[in-house]
Amino acid sequence: MSEVGDRLDYLVARHGGKAEAFLKRIAVRHKALGFGGMATNKQKLHRWKNGTRPDTHAQIALADLLNVPRHDVVELGWPAWLHRAIPDALLAPHRATPTALKAPRKAGDTVERRRFMITAAASGMALALAPVVPATAGTGRRVGDGVAALHEQRLIALRHLDDIVGSGHVYNAAVNEFDMIAGALRTTSYSEATGRRLLAAAADAQRAAGWTAYDSGHPERAEGHFADAAEDALASQNPEVLATTLSFWAIKVYSTGSPQEAASLVEAAKVHGRATGSARMLAMLHARASRAHARAGDARASDREANAALDAYSHAIPLADDLPSLYWVNLGEIYQLLGSSALNLGHPARALDHFQHAATVGVAELRESYDGDAFPRGAAIYEARAAEAHLELDAIEQAVAVAHRAVEHMGGVNSARGSTALADLRTRLRVHQGVPEVRSFLEFTA
């Protein structure tokens, strides 16, 4: 189907799923604007999808329905203004996602090349993607920091929803949030400071879309979102958003077979992590680097980063006073990451020691132990890894006990990563299905 057809199908779905109902909405605007009546049979929409250009009045009525300025219809023409109004991020998974202020990528501008350019620019080694000041729109109503603050609050809510209900339910909301922010950046006027804040929010929305796409089992789709998020974060010159984006992107990259590239992303993230002034941010990035190096089989580099993570964390300020995006990073989380790295490197006993520290470190009022109830998906994944470590040490009963806790935590959470972790654990347990506890677990989770 044509790109115009994709966009019109999206609009029909958004307005109830019936072509006639969608056309009636346009017809109402058509009449209210003084253009008279308009036919609303579905053949009209079919013709638009297949190359017939709507007449100018119909275009203006549709633009009014979408809150697109009339001058965009006149100056850009059909279908360019429709492409701007309905970003590719809202369409099918194979579409490239646009950054908030830029046109879609040119042919041949691969995500891999963009990743290299972003990493180089972010780590200060090149000016390939030097940050630019977001241009204020010349027309449109004036918006201030209040609009940016509302989007920031909604993004905080999306992060917590992802933690609790899983990415499968949150992806569309993150994409829609980006669409709203991008629309504000393109169609309103604002100060430079507000523009940067909106652009940082757009970057964080793309990061959320990238993370939830990956966690939902769509790594290729995630790459485009992460690349767009990093470019917008660079342009906004917000070190917190950029460091966070590169860190989450690294998870996807080392988990899909490119640990050295993931390590480069984390090294670039560290430059901006230091700029935030948060020791907690640096501790998280060192722990993430430890994971990347462990995935690559580099024990020395992984251990060096693990030690750096614990050292950095010793200088962290209280969680409540730190950066909002780090709400999930406590000492328990750091130990969970270090345990995962040890498991990758073939040290199951060390991994279990770290996992035990994650559950028991600190005192309750300091909120340092890992909170599985607040982060059920993460808890399930870490518990699956702990069960794997027990299996490698031939502690079958302990492995099954931990596996049951993992299943309990995954109940009601929509996450391909979590489901895959449990499926992989079941595969490992089948080797021991002669053990009654294992057989019972396999039957329970069948």
Side-chain angles (χ1 to χ4, degrees):
M1 182 177 289
S2 70
E3 290 189 351
V4 169
D6 287 339
R7 284 162 170 78
L8 291 174
D9 281 344
Y10 167 79
L11 291 173
V12 169
R14 199 174 78 179
H15 288 87
K18 299 290 186 181
E20 292 91 341
F22 173 60
L23 287 168
K24 284 179 180 177
R25 289 176 180 269
I26 300 174
V28 169
R29 300 300 179 103
H30 194 273
K31 187 172 183 178
L33 292 168
F35 300 145
M38 188 191 90
T40 58
N41 58 72
K42 61 183 179 181
Q43 287 75 19
K44 176 185 287 288
L45 191 66
H46 180 74
R47 290 194 297 272
W48 290 355
K49 290 181 183 180
N50 288 279
T52 299
R53 183 191 301 271
D55 65 53
T56 301
H57 289 170
Q59 289 186 50
I60 291 173
L62 174 58
D64 189 68
L65 179 65
L66 301 177
N67 294 315
V68 173
R70 185 179 298 196
H71 64 75
D72 277 3
V73 176
V74 175
E75 293 176 9
L76 297 175
W78 180 272
W81 74 262
L82 185 66
H83 286 194
R84 174 179 288 188
I86 311 297
D88 285 337
L90 297 178
L91 304 179
H94 65 273
R95 301 275 186 203
T97 57
T99 54
L101 293 174
K102 298 178 183 178
R105 303 291 136 201
K106 297 179 181 179
D109 191 8
T110 64
V111 172
E112 289 75 14
R113 178 173 178 271
R114 289 171 66 197
R115 186 196 299 155
F116 168 77
M117 295 171 68
I118 290 164
T119 303
S123 52
M125 295 183 295
L127 296 177
L129 284 173
V132 295
V133 176
T136 58
T139 58
R141 65 186 179 87
R142 186 82 170 177
V143 298
D145 282 346
V147 171
L150 286 173
H151 286 296
E152 290 162 356
Q153 291 165 15
R154 287 164 61 90
L155 288 165
I156 289 171
L158 286 182
R159 292 189 199 117
H160 288 284
L161 284 170
D162 172 51
D163 293 330
I164 296 170
V165 305
S167 57
H169 301 296
V170 177
Y171 172 76
N172 288 335
V175 171
N176 287 335
E177 195 69 26
F178 168 77
D179 181 46
M180 282 194 289
I181 302 168
L185 282 163
R186 289 193 300 265
T187 63
T188 63
S189 60
Y190 37 80
S191 69
E192 180 180 315
T194 297
R196 290 189 187 282
R197 194 168 169 183
L198 283 169
L199 193 54
D204 196 43
Q206 283 280 33
R207 179 210 58 79
W211 171 248
T212 52
Y214 165 62
D215 189 68
S216 300
H218 302 286
E220 292 184 3
R221 189 191 310 181
E223 276 283 287
H225 286 300
F226 280 131
D228 290 343
E231 289 192 34
D232 283 342
L234 269 171
S236 75
Q237 298 183 354
N238 184 306
E240 179 183 359
V241 175
L242 183 54
T244 302
T245 295
L246 296 176
S247 173
F248 275 86
W249 194 359
I251 300 172
K252 182 270 165 190
V253 172
Y254 67 57
S255 299
T256 52
S258 301
Q260 291 87 356
E261 294 176 13
S264 296
L265 284 169
V266 181
E267 287 305 309
K270 287 179 187 175
V271 174
H272 299 274
R274 293 186 187 95
T276 68
S278 170
R280 189 182 303 270
M281 173 71 83
L282 274 181
M284 182 272 289
L285 294 173
H286 282 299
R288 188 66 61 209
S290 179
R291 291 283 286 130
H293 290 303
R295 288 278 193 157
D298 189 339
R300 172 179 278 184
S302 182
D303 289 347
R304 182 180 65 244
E305 294 289 352
N307 291 331
L310 294 173
D311 181 64
Y313 196 89
S314 69
H315 302 288
I317 63 176
L319 183 62
D321 300 326
D322 218 320
L323 300 174
S325 63
L326 298 176
Y327 70 96
W328 56 280
V329 181
N330 64 3
L331 193 52
E333 177 71 39
I334 299 297
Y335 274 117
Q336 296 279 33
L337 292 171
L338 301 190
S340 301
S341 297
L343 187 62
N344 286 144
L345 291 168
H347 303 301
R350 187 194 304 174
L352 287 173
D353 186 54
H354 285 317
F355 291 143
Q356 181 62 27
H357 271 83
T360 59
V361 70
V363 291
E365 58 267 27
L366 293 180
R367 299 170 58 192
E368 291 295 355
S369 60
Y370 190 83
D371 186 353
D373 292 333
F375 305 100
R377 172 189 52 202
I381 291 172
Y382 289 134
E383 285 160 350
R385 292 171 185 167
E388 179 185 344
H390 281 300
L391 283 176
E392 293 190 15
L393 294 170
D394 291 324
I396 310 301
E397 292 182 4
Q398 292 93 324
V400 173
V402 177
H404 274 292
R405 293 204 298 271
V407 170
E408 183 178 348
H409 273 124
M410 271 301 293
V413 179
N414 190 323
S415 165
R417 287 171 62 243
S419 298
T420 298
L422 293 180
D424 289 346
L425 179 57
R426 279 177 48 84
T427 299
R428 292 186 176 93
L429 282 168
R430 285 194 189 98
V431 178
H432 307 280
Q433 57 187 331
V435 178
E437 291 86 354
V438 172
R439 189 164 54 252
S440 176
F441 174 82
L442 293 174
E443 292 172 354
F444 175 70
T445 57

